[in-house]
């Protein structure tokens, strides 16, 4: 497995592998890899000839009071996980190389990024789209893999790739959960045992939402209210939102649709957690 810190080295490796229709797969990450990330690497490995993982804790997507400084950095273990998953090349750039002095270009979307997460984390998605655009330019992937856990992020990256004619196929892989339902996240390690117990209310609220959608009697709005009640009833949870919205636009739903997405974001102590589920209505 090749490990490179310079974009020029990644570019030449990609060029030398890009022959005879060989497909390049990209898995962008911020490191602290867990089984959810491994599922993305596995999908890329099974569908592509040359697999690139990137590990970069992107300062541009963290707000001033967010967890950039304490975000877990576990490079040695991450490289072992990449090697075990059969990754061909890992790109681990320095911040000073990704954001050179004098850099002033930002990739910014004007609609999807203003909703939900965008309201609670101003500027976050500009950081995500700018870094992902740079990673697409450096690695020129045929396919790029993202987790459904960051539902709004994958939607925004799809929009960006299509709007800017990148010709990269965006693949969204299912959420990986612990046995008790907690969606895997690098931030779960911040949770105390008591907070971890409370965090199960997210997946419980989403299961309730799915049951209610299936029951055929509740509107998207009343399902959202039931999720909000469940979450607000847990002491120590501070909800940012719990909504049921259109899967593509994230807009509120007027009628009862065939499918929708339930999205939740909460703060538990100092940790912010998000989760979601596609709902199928009867
Ligand atoms: O999902 C993440 O880990 C990050 O937002 C990403 C896509 C790697 C960009 O920094």
């Amino acid at each position: 497995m090749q490990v490179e810190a310079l974009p020029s080295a990644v570019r030449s490796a990609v060029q030398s592998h890009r022959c005879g229709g060989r497909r390049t797969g990209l898995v962008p990450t911020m490191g602290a890899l867990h089984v959810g990330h491994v599922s993305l690497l596995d999908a890329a490995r099974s569908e592509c000839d040359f697999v690139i993982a990137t590990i970069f804790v992107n300062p541009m997507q963290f707000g001033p009071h967010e967890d950039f400084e304490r975000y877990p950095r576990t490079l040695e273990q991450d490289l072992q996980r990449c090697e075990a998953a059969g990754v061909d090349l890992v790109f681990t750039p320095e911040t000073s190389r990704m954001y050179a002095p004098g850099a002033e270009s930002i990739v910014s979307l004007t609609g999807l990024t203003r909703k939900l997460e965008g309201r609670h984390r101003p500027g976050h998605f500009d950081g995500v789209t700018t870094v992902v655009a740079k990673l697409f330019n450096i690695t020129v992937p045929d396919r790029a893999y993202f987790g459904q856990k960051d539902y709004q992020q994958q939607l925004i990256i799809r929009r960006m790739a299509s709007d800017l004619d990148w010709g990269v196929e965006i693949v969204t892989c299912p959420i990986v959960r612990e046995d008790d339902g907690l969606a895997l996240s690098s931030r779960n390690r911040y949770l105390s045992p008591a907070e971890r117990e409370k965090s199960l209310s997210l997946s419980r609220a989403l299961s309730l939402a799915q049951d209610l959608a299936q029951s055929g009697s509740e509107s998207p709005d009343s399902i959202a209210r039931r999720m909000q009640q469940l979450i607000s009833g847990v002491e120590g949870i501070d909800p940012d939102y719990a909504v049921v919205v259109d899967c593509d636009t994230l807009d509120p739903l007027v009628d009862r649709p065939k499918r929708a997405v339930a999205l939740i974001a909460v703060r538990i102590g100092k940790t912010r957690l998000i989760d979601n589920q596609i709902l199928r209505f009867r």
Side-chain angles (χ1 to χ4, degrees):
M1 185 177 77
Q2 200 175 338
V3 181
E4 299 292 353
L6 292 177
S8 54
V10 176
R11 262 187 240 286
S12 46
V14 169
Q15 266 159 19
S16 65
H17 283 89
R18 185 178 292 283
C19 54
R22 284 160 59 86
R23 268 200 299 221
T24 300
L26 172 69
V27 181
T29 81
M30 298 208 296
L33 301 186
H34 50 66
V35 175
H37 294 110
V38 174
S39 75
L40 306 181
L41 298 172
D42 288 346
R45 182 68 284 163
S46 68
E47 295 172 4
C48 303
D49 305 291
F50 189 63
V51 175
I52 304 176
T54 68
I55 298 177
F56 178 59
V57 185
N58 173 30
M60 196 180 162
Q61 70 187 75
F62 289 79
H65 305 294
E66 293 186 353
D67 57 345
F68 174 68
E69 294 301 337
R70 73 168 181 147
Y71 197 83
R73 284 148 172 99
T74 57
L75 186 60
E76 277 316 306
Q77 286 144 266
D78 292 346
L79 292 177
Q80 282 165 17
R81 287 209 124 138
C82 288
E83 179 121 53
V87 171
D88 297 297
L89 188 155
V90 183
F91 179 43
T92 57
E94 297 288 334
T95 303
S96 57
R97 182 59 195 79
M98 288 302 269
Y99 299 111
E104 51 179 293
S105 304
I106 292 176
V107 178
S108 188
L109 277 67
T110 54
L112 276 173
T113 54
R114 308 286 153 90
K115 303 169 187 178
L116 300 173
E117 284 299 281
R119 288 223 186 100
H120 291 272
R121 303 183 68 189
H124 166 68
F125 285 124
D126 284 355
V128 171
T129 46
T130 301
V131 82
V132 171
K134 287 168 74 70
L135 295 172
F136 283 178
N137 283 334
I138 294 165
T139 63
V140 199
D142 298 286
R143 289 187 177 179
Y145 295 79
F146 297 88
Q148 189 196 313
K149 173 114 150 10
D150 292 292
Y151 187 88
Q152 189 172 0
Q153 169 175 280
Q154 58 82 38
L155 217 52
I156 286 167
I157 290 167
R158 263 171 206 283
R159 181 79 267 153
M160 174 181 83
S162 160
D163 289 353
L164 301 181
D165 296 307
W166 245 299
V168 51
E169 186 185 336
I170 307 301
V171 181
T172 304
C173 297
I175 298 176
V176 180
R177 296 181 181 280
E178 304 275 11
D179 289 345
D180 59 9
L182 179 64
L184 294 194
S185 161
S186 303
R187 291 185 166 102
N188 289 351
R189 68 189 75 193
Y190 301 152
L191 298 168
S192 69
E195 289 172 340
R196 198 194 170 292
E197 187 55 37
K198 293 177 204 276
S199 71
L200 297 179
S201 59
L202 275 77
S203 54
R204 285 186 191 133
L206 293 170
S207 300
L208 171 69
Q210 181 54 69
D211 291 346
L212 294 172
Q214 277 293 308
S215 76
S217 55
E218 306 250 1
S219 69
D221 262 4
S222 68
I223 295 175
R225 275 195 299 278
R226 295 282 295 276
M227 291 199 304
Q228 287 154 13
Q229 276 162 7
L230 190 153
I231 291 169
S232 313
V234 181
E235 207 193 303
I237 291 204
D238 185 9
D240 276 349
Y241 56 82
V243 293
V244 176
V245 291
D246 183 90
C247 290
D248 300 318
T249 63
L250 303 182
D251 284 335
L253 293 153
V254 187
D255 299 318
R256 246 166 52 83
K258 286 226 167 337
R259 47 199 293 278
V261 60
L263 295 144
I264 300 181
V266 303
R267 286 165 206 281
I268 305 181
K270 289 196 172 129
T271 308
R272 191 165 183 281
L273 296 178
I274 56 173
D275 199 352
N276 68 82
Q277 173 150 337
I278 302 288
L279 305 182
R280 289 172 207 290
F281 285 77
R282 193 163 68 91

